[in-house]
């Protein structure tokens, strides 16, 4: 039989041109269901529809071919499990080919079965450990009203696939869950960090006497409620608005506050008190504020001023010029 080679639909092996049967599993090219069946059957064999006799049934894979398939499956499992840090038992590279040619597959059966059981055991144990780690993460997101229903379902699907031995499916599903959970965790942690930074900034501004229009004690509970309810977009907008007002107030108060602190340091220096370190911190704090590093800058300014009971001078009334006297 001439023509092109064909692929055996039973075992997936490539069959050379001219072969009427797969050399691996023995399936004939013109068996029913074969997409490569020729219009006319070879001599000595007729189609059931033409002869009225029962059609040819697909030949079952030979025991040696089935062993080779199972060994190949173990190799695939080992490769798929490696990204999870799992080293599954895998047969030597020559074993798959040798098993496909052996005349005594029963010699291999016990060893292959043992490898399969051990691989399944390790995979299931590894996924159980992963579920123990990711489960609390999903629960924490849920506690913050973050929707995790899809991730919970996908995790269960991954565990079911692992128990069924479908390692590639389980690995793909678990990695997807891990990526989505990690992304939602980052969004939540970023929102919490932004909230904590804002409250710290407001506390420091209050300590040096800057009127930021919003007091930390007044807004912390409602902002925390937004965070707990998972209203992260609303929370981010509110944080940006409050921060913008606080920064504007800090910029307006900065020159007078720095001048008051500078005057006090000069007086202390004239009295023989070393103030070089404080003067350097004062300059650095002002630079950080001007550079947009608000939290860092105001924290330095607060430390120097608090030790000397220096606060921002009250805003002038009726257009009067602010006093430059030291506190």
């Amino acid at each position: 039989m001439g023509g092109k080679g064909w692929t055996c639909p039973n075992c997936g092996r490539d069959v050379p041109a001219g072969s009427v049967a797969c050399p691996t599993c023995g399936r004939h090219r013109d068996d029913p269901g074969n997409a490569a069946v020729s219009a006319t059957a070879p001599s000595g064999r007729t189609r059931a529809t033409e002869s009225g006799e029962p059609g040819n049934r697909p030949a079952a894979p030979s025991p040696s071919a089935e062993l080779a398939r199972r060994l190949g499956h173990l190799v695939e499992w080992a490769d798929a499990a490696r990204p999870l840090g799992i080293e599954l038992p895998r047969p030597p590279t020559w074993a798959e080919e040798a098993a496909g040619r052996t005349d005594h597959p029963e010699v291999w059966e016990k060893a292959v079965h043992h490898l399969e059981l051990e691989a399944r055991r390790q995979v299931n144990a590894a996924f159980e450990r992963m579920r123990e780690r990711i489960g609390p993460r999903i629960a924490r997101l849920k506690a913050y009203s973050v929707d995790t229903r899809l991730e919970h379902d996908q995790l269960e699907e991954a565990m079911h696939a692992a128990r069924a031995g479908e390692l590639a499916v389980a690995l793909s599903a678990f990695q997807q869950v891990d990526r989505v959970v990690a992304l939602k965790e980052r969004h939540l942690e970023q929102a919490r960090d932004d909230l904590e930074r804002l409250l710290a900034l407001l506390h420091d501004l209050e300590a040096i006497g800057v009127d930021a229009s919003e007091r930390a004690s007044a807004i912390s509970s409602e902002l925390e409620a937004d965070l707990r309810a998972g209203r992260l977009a609303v929370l981010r907008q509110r944080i940006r608005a409050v921060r913008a007002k606080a920064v504007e107030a800090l910029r307006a108060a900065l020159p007078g506050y720095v001048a008051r602190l500078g005057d006090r340091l000069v007086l202390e220096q004239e009295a023989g008190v070393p103030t070089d370190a404080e003067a350097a911190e004062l300059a650095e704090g002002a630079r950080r504020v001007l550079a947009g590093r608000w939290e860092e800058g105001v924290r330095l300014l607060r430390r120097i001023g608090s030790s000397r009971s220096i606060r921002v001078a009250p805003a002038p009334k009726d257009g009067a010029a602010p006093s430059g006297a030291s506190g």
Side-chain angles (χ1 to χ4, degrees), residues 311-324:
R311 290 170 57 86
V312 172
K317 297 181 179 180
D318 302 324
S323 171

Side-chain angles (χ1 to χ4, degrees), residues 87 235 237 279:
E87 291 295 332
L235 177 63
Q237 291 175 356

Side-chain angles (χ1 to χ4, degrees), residues 158-172:
M159 297 302 302
H160 178 75
R163 295 188 190 101
E166 299 173 356
L167 180 58
V169 174
L171 176 61
S172 176

Side-chain angles (χ1 to χ4, degrees), residues 51-132:
S51 64
E53 298 177 357
N56 295 318
R57 294 183 178 179
S62 66
S64 58
E66 175 63 15
L67 278 176
R69 184 193 67 79
R70 289 165 62 185
L71 286 169
H73 198 194
L74 285 170
V75 172
E76 293 174 0
W77 278 20
D79 291 339
R82 189 171 291 112
L84 296 177
I86 308 170
E87 291 295 332
L88 295 181
R90 58 188 300 159
T93 54
W94 52 265
E96 183 180 356
E97 184 178 353
R101 296 196 309 262
T102 183
D103 293 330
H104 301 285
E106 65 279 0
V107 176
W108 293 76
E109 176 64 32
K110 185 175 181 180
V112 172
H113 182 63
H114 174 75
L115 289 176
E116 289 173 333
L117 290 178
E118 179 61 19
R120 288 175 184 269
R121 185 193 66 77
Q122 290 192 28
V123 167
N124 288 330
F127 272 89
E128 286 292 346
R129 293 193 298 271
M130 293 171 195
R131 182 165 65 172
E132 290 175 0

Side-chain angles (χ1 to χ4, degrees), residues 224-240:
E224 179 71 25
D226 285 335
L227 180 66
R228 287 285 177 183
R231 296 189 291 266
L232 302 187
V234 173
L235 177 63
R236 283 193 291 267
Q237 291 175 356
R238 183 73 187 278
I239 288 175
R240 283 196 296 267

Side-chain angles (χ1 to χ4, degrees), residues 23-36:
T24 301
C25 68
R27 179 164 180 171
H28 284 267
R29 179 171 181 168
D30 61 341
D31 281 338
N34 193 337

